[in-house]
Amino acid sequence: MALDRKQILAAAFELLDAEGLEGLTMRRLAQSMDIQAPSLYWHFNSRRALLESMADAMLDEVARRSSGEEDWREVVLRIGRETRAAFLAHRDGAKLFAGTYPISENVFRAGDAMMTPLRNAGLSPTMAGWATFTLIYFVIGFVIEEQSVEPFEGKVAPDVNLSAVRQSAQAFAEQASHPTLAEALPNILDEDFDRRFEFGLDLIVRGMQSHLQEASQSGASAGGPRRSRRREKSS
């Protein structure tokens, strides 16, 4: 049977889950599939091309269940949660996505699914785009931390012992006389990632709402910050 891209991607995700992002190399992937490396390069001309296709595949189920009648807030919350779940489905999923710039169908479809209701609600194309990427950046960073302290499917030990970090940070903050930080640390390093994620998601939605209110009050679409023009030097 001829080798195809779907088979390679499936094997790549299996290797990712078993070895992590650092262990996902073209050589190891070829070995795991019992094939020669040139067979992989016929379908993916570099490791980066493979990772970009994997990043796109992770978003395959994101932003597909819209009823078309949701309020923009519901869309943002749903897509944010679905994206987090998509990254968590694979070991180092967020870390893999963070290092790619895929120009692909699932990435563009998911992005457009969030930008469109924001645009229809009153944001300019620029602000709708920036708002969407702000959400994505938050999810990526959040899940990278989350995956560093929680084992993947109980098979892999976490990279960081959060309890030990919490104790060391608490002692340092108190010794270094940072009382506000010391007081907040137990909650900053709270292991309830669901609650922390929802808090961050709510902050982003409130920020979007603020820009929409400003746009409504001004009677014009909200735009990006103005850039000052440089004065031309006289000759």
Side-chain angles (χ1 to χ4, degrees):
M1 181 181 294
L3 189 67
D4 61 32
R5 290 172 65 92
K6 288 184 178 180
Q7 290 175 305
I8 296 173
L9 286 174
F13 278 118
E14 288 183 6
L15 183 59
L16 176 69
D17 292 341
E19 302 292 339
L21 185 58
E22 292 184 1
L24 176 57
T25 66
M26 300 295 272
R27 180 179 61 83
R28 289 189 184 182
L29 179 58
Q31 290 175 345
S32 72
M33 299 182 71
D34 195 23
I35 60 175
Q36 298 298 315
S39 299
L40 294 179
Y41 287 103
W42 176 264
H43 297 277
F44 301 98
N45 61 16
S46 65
R47 181 175 183 266
R48 173 168 291 278
L50 173 65
L51 296 182
E52 288 180 348
S53 291
M54 293 174 71
D56 180 75
M58 282 195 292
L59 298 189
D60 186 56
E61 296 299 321
V62 173
R64 287 195 180 275
R65 288 173 286 277
S66 176
S67 65
E69 300 179 355
E70 295 172 294
D71 178 79
W72 69 266
R73 299 170 190 82
E74 296 174 331
V75 175
V76 171
L77 292 172
R78 177 172 54 79
I79 292 180
R81 292 163 183 158
E82 290 177 356
T83 303
R84 178 192 178 208
F87 293 162
L88 286 173
H90 295 285
R91 182 179 174 185
D92 289 343
K95 190 183 295 185
L96 184 154
F97 195 93
T100 63
Y101 289 91
I103 301 174
S104 53
E105 176 56 29
N106 286 325
V107 171
F108 276 49
R109 175 187 51 75
D112 190 74
M114 195 169 99
M115 291 182 198
T116 297
L118 290 173
R119 181 76 179 100
N120 293 339
L123 288 184
S124 70
T126 296
M127 292 298 287
W130 287 356
T132 296
F133 273 82
T134 296
L135 175 70
I136 295 300
Y137 296 149
F138 164 69
V139 178
I140 289 173
F142 187 93
V143 178
I144 286 176
E145 178 191 349
E146 185 174 9
Q147 291 186 314
S148 73
V149 300
E150 292 194 341
F152 178 73
E153 295 185 349
K155 299 177 182 178
V156 181
D159 297 328
V160 177
N161 185 320
L162 190 59
S163 297
V165 171
R166 186 187 301 110
Q167 293 175 5
S168 297
Q170 191 77 41
F172 181 85
E174 293 173 355
Q175 182 180 7
S177 300
H178 300 301
T180 303
L181 181 58
E183 182 181 15
L185 267 174
N187 292 317
I188 293 176
L189 298 177
D190 189 346
E191 294 184 32
D192 189 346
F193 283 94
D194 290 342
R195 186 163 66 110
R196 289 168 55 186
F197 181 79
E198 290 298 322
F199 176 81
L201 207 55
D202 179 67
L203 282 182
I204 292 173
V205 170
R206 289 173 185 265
M208 294 177 181
Q209 179 65 57
S210 175
H211 281 288
L212 283 167
Q213 290 174 345
E214 290 177 4
S216 176
Q217 292 171 359
S218 66
S221 296
R226 295 180 179 178
R227 296 181 179 179
S228 60
R229 295 181 178 179
R230 294 181 179 179
R231 296 181 178 178
E232 296 183 358
K233 294 182 179 179
S234 58
S235 56

